[in-house]
Amino acid sequence: MSDGMSSTVAWLDRKFQLTERKTDIGQEFRAATATFLTMSYILLVNPQLLSKIGIPATAVVVSTALASSLGSFVAGYFG
């Protein structure tokens, strides 16, 4: 690993206390990827399901995106 990369990893470790929390950047990256894919899936499936009962698909996409982003922010900030 280059010096620039190792200093970045060290900074991230100090900033987010990764070692103390028994995790590493790879594990956090995989968790973020899983969260992103889950949110993407929900944004595609939720409007299809709820439009079948008469709710406009556009409104469902917007409300799902807002609720998901707010929930992700709260979980990330307080977690």
Side-chain angles (χ1 to χ4, degrees):
M1 214 178 326
S2 68
D3 287 337
M5 185 64 120
S6 62
S7 65
T8 303
V9 171
W11 180 82
L12 287 170
D13 188 40
R14 285 191 313 274
K15 175 73 174 162
F16 296 106
Q17 303 168 348
L18 298 176
T19 303
E20 291 85 3
R21 294 178 178 167
K22 297 183 175 105
T23 187
D24 58 28
I25 292 176
Q27 183 173 348
E28 294 301 317
F29 180 78
R30 288 188 298 275
T33 302
T35 302
F36 173 78
L37 292 174
T38 301
M39 293 300 170
S40 300
Y41 173 78
I42 290 299
L43 282 173
L44 293 174
V45 172
N46 213 17
Q48 292 176 359
L49 294 174
L50 293 178
S51 66
K52 291 182 180 185
I53 61 170
I55 300 173
T58 305
V60 175
V61 169
V62 170
S63 61
T64 301
L66 290 173
S68 298
S69 62
L70 178 64
S72 294
F73 173 77
V74 169
Y77 185 77
F78 292 107

